[in-house]
Amino acid sequence: MELFKILFCNYVYFHKHTIWGHRDMPVFVTFINILVGLVLYVFMVVELLNIFVVNIPTSTFEVIVYIFLPVFVAFLYWRLVGNKRYIGILKNRKYYSKTCKVISFLFMAMALVCLWATGYLMWAHDNGLI
């Protein structure tokens, strides 16, 4: 939950205070960013297991990515935003430290690396290189 709060606070700040941010709906856009990042992580882990360990049926992968992960992230989002607790959390200065900003940046950077690496592994596996 602390990691989710760190990502949440830093993403809301980013979406409110940068020219690339969405000033209209920063909380919702933050939720979508965190969900996409987590989906990329899970996608890479499942694809690596599928390539190197055992062939996982596609239906299992679909259940994980399309049902369980969004429900889990939506639950965290509801716990944070549903009863307006996020206003107090956004005012908490400990979530804006330099370490928290680095963690948030690394989360999305690693999500993009996972996306690239997974695409490469899938391509290599389909072409018989792995």
Side-chain angles (χ1 to χ4, degrees):
M1 190 68 176
E2 289 297 310
L3 176 62
F4 191 77
K5 288 179 184 177
I6 288 170
L7 295 173
F8 179 78
C9 289
N10 282 282
Y11 282 10
V12 169
Y13 183 84
F14 172 81
H15 287 299
K16 279 185 177 178
H17 296 94
T18 65
I19 60 173
W20 298 284
H22 301 271
R23 292 179 185 271
D24 297 335
M25 295 188 298
V27 174
F28 182 70
V29 174
T30 292
F31 169 67
I32 297 300
N33 279 348
I34 293 173
L35 181 62
V36 167
L38 288 173
V39 166
L40 290 177
Y41 283 128
V42 170
F43 185 77
M44 181 172 183
V45 168
V46 170
E47 191 58 36
L48 287 173
L49 289 174
N50 192 20
I51 290 173
F52 294 115
V53 180
V54 63
N55 286 330
I56 298 172
T58 306
S59 61
T60 305
F61 172 73
E62 290 173 353
V63 166
I64 290 172
V65 171
Y66 296 122
I67 297 174
F68 290 131
L69 189 63
V71 167
F72 174 69
V73 175
F75 172 74
L76 291 177
Y77 183 77
W78 171 77
R79 290 268 307 170
L80 210 60
V81 177
N83 53 4
K84 306 295 182 190
R85 287 176 52 215
Y86 73 95
I87 294 171
I89 291 168
L90 289 175
K91 291 180 180 177
N92 192 338
R93 297 180 61 86
K94 78 175 184 178
Y95 294 118
Y96 299 104
S97 68
K98 191 171 187 178
T99 304
C100 292
K101 290 178 183 176
V102 169
I103 288 171
S104 298
F105 175 76
L106 288 178
F107 175 82
M108 276 316 281
M110 286 303 298
L112 293 175
V113 168
C114 286
L115 175 65
W116 178 83
T118 304
Y120 176 75
L121 288 173
M122 290 170 61
W123 172 81
H125 186 262
D126 289 341
N127 289 325
L129 300 175
I130 297 178

